[in-house]
Amino acid sequence: MKNTKFRLEPFSFYNHTEIVAHLEKMAAKGWMIQKITAFGWRYQRIEPKQIHIAVSYYPKASEFDPKPSESQKIFHDFCAHTGWKLACTSAQLQIFYNEQENPTPIETEPILELESIDKSVMKSFLPVHGILLLFAVIQGWISMLVLNGNPIAFLSNPAQLFTALCWAMLALICIVEMTCYIRWYHRAKEAADQGEFLKTPSTSKFQKIVGFVVIIGGLYWMLTSVIHGDSLRRWLVLLMCLYMLFLTAAVNGMKAFLKRRKVSRNINRVITILTSFVLAFVLMGLIFWATASGIFSNQPTQGDAINKQGNTDWALRQGKPPLSVSNLQEVKDDLYSTDCYGDKSFLLGRFVMRQLPHLDAENFTELPNLEYTVVEVEVPALYNTCKKRLMHEVEAISSGMLLQYTSQDTSAWGANEVYGLENPESSRFTHSYLLCYEHTLVEIKFNWEPTEEQMQMVGQKLGEI
């Protein structure tokens, strides 16, 4: 039988009303709060009993304090004299319990209690949430720029979608928490002037919903990386999870170590913050270096023809791209270097393949080469957006040559719509095409003029990847 257990409690820092009610229920079930950590609330097993819990706030305290100040000790002694025993503290938050039947409340003046809560909130809660909100807004703005710049790549990447979701949820939590406190404070001040305590608002259900959404998003990101991703993507998921856990544990471990060594509050704060920045920089640097050097990827050997990256397994068949030059012309694949990369989310799938002849191949300049991008649209509402984006990207890149897409006959390709990239001044086509199938968009480029049989082959291979 375990004598301790950890729980993640979704309580706002200032929500003493709900904290008291929850801890009294836990005590009745045989669990007493023992410590509040970065990884959860730790409970100690006790005999189930009905006890009273009180939450008090000491604005002068800090999470970096090596020990309680003299004035804080005096306050604790005063509470103990009236039957209130200290259960635990967490920065300005202090939790007491009392086994007497009708104990005298610690806080008897509503206006003084409100003043203590507000000073504590202004010292830590609101500044931290304000900074987090600022970061979330900046990251959201960056995500919007990326989305606007390359919506297909963004919406097909589960990692980018999950990151955007996390920042959005963080911004939402900060806005709700700060708004609820400010509204409650003004109403509580009016009630305190009348000598009444006003219960704090509860955002626990909201926080649970947000946490559930983030967990589902994280699981989706990990599963897609494991199922569809290459070995590098799988390693990155593992490394990022370990990175976050290790960084959190290391920073909090450093803070706890300095507190045990009786290091002053200010020095502890500086060292802990520096530790977090240095560790984050070093660890991310190591992950980036490992990624760039290909330590965790399956690097192709000299005889391999394919270098695949990202979530490409969904578009590859038995280790081969769905369409290669050898499917269209009588050439050998070993004369070519083949690069495949792509991603797939519940919104879009994007697969890019480039097959170019080796520079040391005989007459390499005369050999055919092939490039194509396949966009698999999972949400029909995004189809026209993706189509317009593909057309705009090519026309924008080719603007100096005055090229534009022109509608062509669809029969050979087996597509719903076909557009060829044309120079309107000379009416000459560039052998670059945009093929529009029911759920798939194909952007393909040849360095030769494809025959009708080759067009049919493209439709068979890429029409519904």
Side-chain angles (χ1 to χ4, degrees), residues 338-368:
T338 303
D339 290 323
C340 303
Y341 62 91
D343 280 299
K344 183 177 177 64
S345 72
F346 66 96
L347 300 173
L348 299 174
R350 174 175 173 264
F351 176 72
V352 180
M353 197 286 291
R354 295 190 181 96
Q355 197 167 29
L356 304 175
H358 293 302
L359 296 179
D360 58 355
E362 185 177 356
N363 299 324
F364 76 92
T365 57
E366 299 177 6
L367 290 173

Side-chain angles (χ1 to χ4, degrees), residues 249-259 268 271-272 275:
V251 171
N252 283 277
M254 175 60 71
K255 179 175 65 177
F257 171 76
L258 295 175
K259 289 174 70 173
N268 190 334
I271 294 177
T272 300
T275 299

Side-chain angles (χ1 to χ4, degrees), residues 18-247:
E18 195 168 15
I19 293 175
V20 167
H22 170 74
L23 293 181
E24 288 181 348
K25 289 181 180 179
M26 291 296 291
K29 295 178 181 179
W31 295 101
M32 170 63 71
I33 184 65
Q34 187 182 43
K35 190 175 183 180
I36 298 177
T37 72
F39 296 98
W41 293 27
R42 187 170 71 189
Y43 294 86
Q44 181 72 34
R45 183 180 295 278
I46 61 172
E47 288 295 327
K49 63 179 70 174
Q50 296 293 330
I51 62 175
H52 296 277
I53 298 291
V55 173
S56 180
Y57 295 85
Y58 190 76
K60 295 181 180 180
S62 169
E63 61 180 320
F64 299 99
D65 287 335
K67 60 181 179 180
S69 63
E70 290 301 320
S71 58
Q72 195 173 3
K73 289 180 180 179
I74 293 173
F75 176 68
H76 292 168
D77 291 339
F78 170 78
C79 292
H81 182 71
T82 57
W84 291 99
K85 301 175 183 178
L86 183 66
C88 70
T89 64
S90 177
Q92 297 86 21
L93 180 68
Q94 302 172 105
I95 299 175
F96 299 87
Y97 67 96
N98 196 319
E99 299 182 16
Q100 297 177 10
E101 187 173 350
N102 294 303
T104 303
I106 294 177
E107 302 286 355
T108 57
E109 294 291 336
I111 192 67
L112 295 178
E113 180 186 36
L114 182 62
E115 182 180 344
S116 297
I117 293 174
D118 189 56
K119 286 182 179 179
S120 299
V121 166
M122 294 301 293
K123 183 175 182 179
S124 58
F125 178 80
L126 283 183
V128 169
H129 278 70
I131 293 173
L132 290 176
L133 178 60
L134 177 62
F135 278 127
V137 170
I138 293 174
Q139 290 295 328
W141 177 69
I142 293 174
S143 295
M144 291 303 296
L145 291 179
V146 175
L147 175 62
N148 183 64
N150 196 342
I152 295 177
F154 184 90
L155 295 176
S156 62
N157 191 317
Q160 287 190 320
L161 290 175
F162 175 60
T163 301
L165 172 68
C166 289
W167 286 115
M169 293 296 101
L170 178 61
L172 187 60
I173 284 181
C174 291
I175 291 172
V176 170
E177 287 289 292
M178 295 170 71
T179 301
C180 286
Y181 174 75
I182 293 172
R183 291 183 59 189
W184 171 80
Y185 173 76
H186 289 294
R187 291 167 48 218
K189 194 172 186 304
E190 294 178 359
D193 291 336
Q194 304 298 321
E196 299 178 0
F197 290 100
L198 184 65
K199 290 184 178 181
T200 50
S202 173
T203 60
S204 297
K205 290 183 179 179
F206 167 75
Q207 292 189 47
K208 289 179 180 179
I209 292 173
V210 169
F212 178 76
V213 170
V214 172
I215 290 173
I216 293 298
L219 290 175
Y220 171 75
W221 164 59
M222 288 188 287
L223 286 174
T224 53
S225 298
V226 170
I227 295 174
H228 298 298
D230 58 7
S231 61
L232 176 61
R233 190 65 61 92
R234 298 183 185 106
W235 273 107
L236 278 176
V237 170
L238 177 61
L239 289 175
M240 289 305 299
C241 291
L242 293 176
Y243 160 78
M244 291 183 286
L245 289 173
F246 179 77
L247 183 62

